[in-house]
Amino acid sequence: MNLILLGAPGAGKGTQAELLTKKLGIPAISTGNMLREAMRNETEVGQKAKNYMDNGLLVPDDVIIGIVGERVAQPDCANGFILDGVPRTVAQADALEKAGVKIDHVVSIEIDDNVIEARMTGRRVCSKCGESYHIVANPPKAEGICDDCGGELVIRKDDAPETVQRRLAVYHEETEALKGYYERLDKLRLVQGNQPIEEANREILRVIGA
Ligand code: ADP
Ligand code: ADP
Ligand code: ZN
């Protein structure tokens, strides 16, 4: 099963992608995590992405299409995958189509803009594996340490309130149109994001028929 998770920054895409990976046994592909890793390793992709990411803007489509194309061709994606945070533009969606990547369901995690700031100020992410936590809604077992890999939890630079506002505006201007795009293909499934994590997960499993 090939899935796409759509939603505003902070909607819960990364959190749900991790849960779905465990339950469905297919990998989660987060372009945000891939780009942050590329930045840490100072690769060419990382250098191209840095300024856009730090300023809450989208990284150019050609960079994204390149890294996603390579990733979905890996053998562990043969039985399915979960795309978290990609596509984010119509050009990226068209590129997936053109590459022959078949999509079964597009789950849009719906959330109001006014809930997002509280989520972002409490978000902590693992500096090693990218896993997402929240100091109140989803705390790690030991403060500041990733449950999964023991990595140090950090605050993302682009979770600063001004940058979050920019990212939200970018979502409404460039990404939200994908809901109509996938609706026309009869693949769009809406899920309420403003409910406890496990309940949102059950709703996702239901709408994808898993
Ligand atoms: P969130 O879901 O909280 O917005 P992500 O980790 O998905 O965060 O993305 C963080 C940043 O990485 C984005 O603001 C953007 O700069 C870049 N990015 C991630 N995925 C894409 C993509 N598919 N297209 C363009 N830029 C992307
Ligand atoms: P995204 O990948 O869409 O940007 P995340 O999964 O990183 O979003 O979630 C953003 C923040 O909100 C994180 O701190 C996460 O722990 C928290 N969070 C995710 N889902 C929920 C939820 N259903 N209720 C409350 N907080 C949540
Ligand atoms: Zn970790």
Side-chain angles (χ1 to χ4, degrees), residues 126 128-131 146 148-151:
C126 177
K128 258 165 85 183
C129 75
E131 182 125 343
C146 178
D148 270 20
C149 79

Side-chain angles (χ1 to χ4, degrees), residues 110-186:
E110 301 285 300
I111 191 152
D112 281 345
D113 287 8
N114 59 25
V115 183
I116 288 177
E117 194 167 319
R119 289 216 178 169
M120 300 311 225
T121 48
R123 172 153 68 179
R124 301 290 181 272
V125 298
C126 177
S127 57
K128 258 165 85 183
C129 75
E131 182 125 343
S132 195
Y133 295 86
H134 189 279
I135 50 176
V136 179
N138 186 23
K141 292 194 181 81
E143 198 183 317
I145 296 169
C146 178
D147 294 348
D148 270 20
C149 79
E152 185 197 352
L153 302 186
V154 297
I155 298 177
R156 269 169 54 176
K157 188 173 175 187
D158 63 343
D159 277 350
E162 324 76 77
T163 315
V164 169
Q165 290 311 316
R166 167 94 49 78
R167 288 160 57 208
L168 263 178
V170 167
Y171 170 76
H172 291 304
E173 279 161 30
E174 306 195 50
T175 306
E176 210 168 18
L178 289 176
K179 286 168 64 177
Y181 181 104
Y182 287 114
E183 167 104 79
R184 287 188 283 281
L185 297 172
D186 201 24

Side-chain angles (χ1 to χ4, degrees), residues 26-99:
I26 53 178
I29 300 174
S30 157
T31 40
N33 286 350
M34 290 166 81
L35 293 168
R36 279 183 288 277
E37 193 186 342
M39 272 165 54
R40 277 197 303 280
N41 296 333
E42 296 179 9
T43 67
E44 205 184 317
V45 166
Q47 281 161 8
K48 280 187 194 155
K50 185 178 186 337
N51 267 317
Y52 297 100
M53 290 182 79
D54 285 351
N55 291 302
L57 301 172
L58 293 183
V59 173
D61 288 327
D62 59 326
V63 176
I64 301 295
I65 290 164
I67 61 174
V68 174
E70 273 175 31
R71 183 65 189 86
V72 298
Q74 298 290 311
D76 66 326
C77 292
N79 292 325
F81 50 79
I82 303 154
L83 294 180
D84 158 17
V86 67
R88 253 177 158 96
T89 62
V90 170
Q92 292 177 20
D94 283 340
L96 285 174
E97 281 268 316
K98 248 178 106 184

